[in-house]
């Protein structure tokens, strides 16, 4: 089955540890039905790896989701996201 799953699109007002916990609960359910599918995990601060919340991607790098074949999302809006987003 050629499906990409997105378990949390642009989470807002949610700390990374809660998003990570949720992903680690949902991903095994997805794997029961589609063991090789790519799973996207939204990042804190509207999918900005924390930048929109004044944080950084270090929250994720230092506390990664315990799963394989996943991708973390980073939403970049060229019209409104400046250097801080590129730096992160």
């Amino acid at each position: 089955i050629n499906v990409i799953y997105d378990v949390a699109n642009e989470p807002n007002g949610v700390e990374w540890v809660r998003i990570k916990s949720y992903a680690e609960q949902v991903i095994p359910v997805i794997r029961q039905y589609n063991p090789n599918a790519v799973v996207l995990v939204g990042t804190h601060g509207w999918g900005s790896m924390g930048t929109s919340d004044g944080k950084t991607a270090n929250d994720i790098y230092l506390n990664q989701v315990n799963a394989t074949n996943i991708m973390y999302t980073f939403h970049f809006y060229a019209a409104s996201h400046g250097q801080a987003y590129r730096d992160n």
Side-chain angles (χ1 to χ4, degrees):
I1 300 173
N2 295 317
V3 175
I4 297 174
Y5 298 85
D6 187 349
V7 300
N9 182 46
E10 292 195 347
N12 177 37
V14 182
E15 294 293 322
W16 171 246
V17 293
R18 292 194 58 212
I19 298 165
K20 176 185 183 269
S21 174
Y22 175 74
E24 290 176 342
Q25 293 173 55
V26 172
I27 292 170
V29 175
I30 294 168
R31 296 285 184 239
Q32 289 178 40
Y33 302 99
N34 199 343
N36 298 315
V38 174
V39 176
L40 304 179
V41 177
T43 58
H44 53 312
W46 296 97
S48 69
M49 293 194 164
T51 307
S52 292
D53 290 341
K55 303 206 176 155
T56 71
N58 282 336
D59 296 333
I60 299 160
Y61 298 142
L62 299 174
N63 191 14
Q64 298 179 20
V65 171
N66 185 20
T68 59
N69 208 18
I70 66 167
M71 291 193 275
Y72 302 105
T73 63
F74 180 77
H75 296 189
F76 180 82
Y77 299 95
S80 60
H81 289 172
Q83 191 63 45
Y85 289 83
R86 288 189 294 276
D87 290 347
N88 194 14

